[in-house]
Every structure is written in structure tokens, then in C-alpha cells.
Amino acid sequence: MLERAGAHAGPLLDFAEADATTWTPDEPYDLIVSNALLQWVPDHAARFPDWLDAITPGGTFALQVPGNFDQPTHVLMRELAGSPRWRDRLGDVLRHADAVLAPAAYLDALTGPGTTADVWETTYLHLLHGEDPVLDWVKGTGLRPVLTALADDPDAREAFLAEYRDLLRAAYPAGPHGTVLPFRRIFAVAHKEK
């Protein structure tokens, strides 16, 4: 991603690789954006004070995280991974329902002396196509830790995917135009006063 983004860099825009669990800006920024990252960072709101301190007066810190950890895609995945058959191999590889904060908690974490914030959530209704489109969708996102944990055992990987596929088919039945996957996103934009 950084390589592709680098093509857009210029005098007012740059990109740098950093570890979000420890990164503290070493210079002021007009804008810091985090898109679909913070759900992977435990206790990410604890990083906000350092990031907000680095925002220039009149600047902005914006974030987007998925808000679907309480939806069947993730609940069923965690339940299956924690079941007796899979618990020993997968019981601790998935993020929990608290991987992201409630919108009100983001508002609280981003609002303070000299900083205001707007926080909202939107549910996108993705119309997916294919035999197992929800499974295909989740393979590229939330299911990645399971696929990584089972990468050395193709039979176990396929067995887990078969069980999970059946659960997803029941939770997200195909309709006449495809399979609808409601996907909630949480957005927050914090503004530093001038």
C-alpha cells in the first residue's frame, strides 16, 4: 500500500511506515488519517493523545474502523474458533468484540480542551455475488488470523472453512439479486482549534 501511495506523495503529502502501537509523530501534521487500521491495534485510543498533540492548530485527525464485530460474520467466527474442536489452535488468534470502541467512546476520547470531534456510523449494504460471497469477503479481512494460524495444515484449514461456510450461508442467505452483507463503519474526525 505504501508503495502505491508513494506515487501520490508531494510537497504537502507524504507516507511513512510505522508501528501504530508505538508511533509518536516527530513533527507537527495538518492531517493524520487512519483507515481500517486501528481495529488491529489493542487499546488504540490510548495513542490518541500523542497523535492529537502532533496536529497543528486548525488541523484534523480522522479515522475509520469497521463496526461489525457484533455481527454474524465475526460472532460466528469467534464461536467456531472457540469451540472444542478448534479452541486449542484458534482460541486466541481472533480479535474480540471490543476491538473497536462504541461511537460515543470515540467522541469522548477525541474531544477535550482545544479539540472537537464528529463521530458517526454508517451501515453499507454490500450486494455480493458468487457461491459463498460472504466467506470470500471475510477471507480478505477478519478471517486472516485464522487462515494464517492454519496455513501449515491445509486439511484443518479446509475443515474450518467448511464449517464456517455453512454457518455463513445460514446467517446470510442468498436472495434474488445476490447476498446482502450489512457492513457497519465508524467514522471520527477530530479538529484542533486554531
Side-chain angles (χ1 to χ4, degrees):
M1 285 191 295
L2 285 175
E3 185 177 313
R4 286 185 180 174
H8 303 286
L12 300 176
L13 179 66
D14 69 349
F15 303 90
E17 184 174 347
D19 183 342
T21 62
T22 58
W23 179 67
T24 300
D26 55 4
E27 63 181 294
Y29 288 92
D30 296 327
L31 174 65
I32 296 174
V33 177
S34 173
N35 183 52
L37 162 75
L38 296 177
Q39 72 273 13
W40 300 100
V41 179
D43 195 27
H44 56 266
R47 305 297 308 133
F48 293 172
D50 286 340
W51 300 344
L52 290 170
D53 284 348
I55 297 293
T56 59
T60 300
F61 168 52
L63 69 90
Q64 180 275 130
V65 291
N68 59 341
F69 290 90
D70 62 349
Q71 295 301 300
T73 50
H74 287 66
V75 171
L76 295 170
M77 186 189 315
R78 287 191 306 270
E79 288 175 355
L80 183 57
S83 69
R85 178 176 181 184
W86 298 106
R87 184 179 308 130
D88 290 344
R89 292 197 64 185
L90 303 173
D92 61 352
V93 302
L94 292 171
R95 295 164 292 161
H96 297 284
D98 62 355
V100 300
L101 304 178
Y106 283 113
L107 183 67
D108 186 54
L110 294 169
T111 302
T115 306
T116 60
D118 296 304
V119 179
W120 68 97
E121 56 188 332
T122 300
T123 300
Y124 296 92
L125 299 177
H126 295 290
L127 186 59
L128 305 177
H129 301 281
E131 188 174 345
D132 290 299
V134 176
L135 177 61
D136 293 340
W137 176 282
V138 179
K139 280 181 181 178
T141 59
L143 193 58
R144 293 181 65 85
V146 169
L147 298 176
T148 299
L150 298 177
D152 64 340
D153 188 344
D155 291 338
R157 180 182 181 272
E158 291 309 312
F160 183 90
L161 288 174
E163 288 182 61
Y164 184 49
R165 178 199 65 226
D166 292 345
L167 295 169
L168 290 177
R169 284 179 178 174
Y172 299 96
H177 305 291
T179 302
V180 176
L181 174 64
F183 201 96
R184 187 169 62 105
R185 301 278 184 179
I186 300 169
F187 299 87
V189 179
H191 305 280
K192 198 164 194 180
E193 295 175 0
K194 290 185 178 185

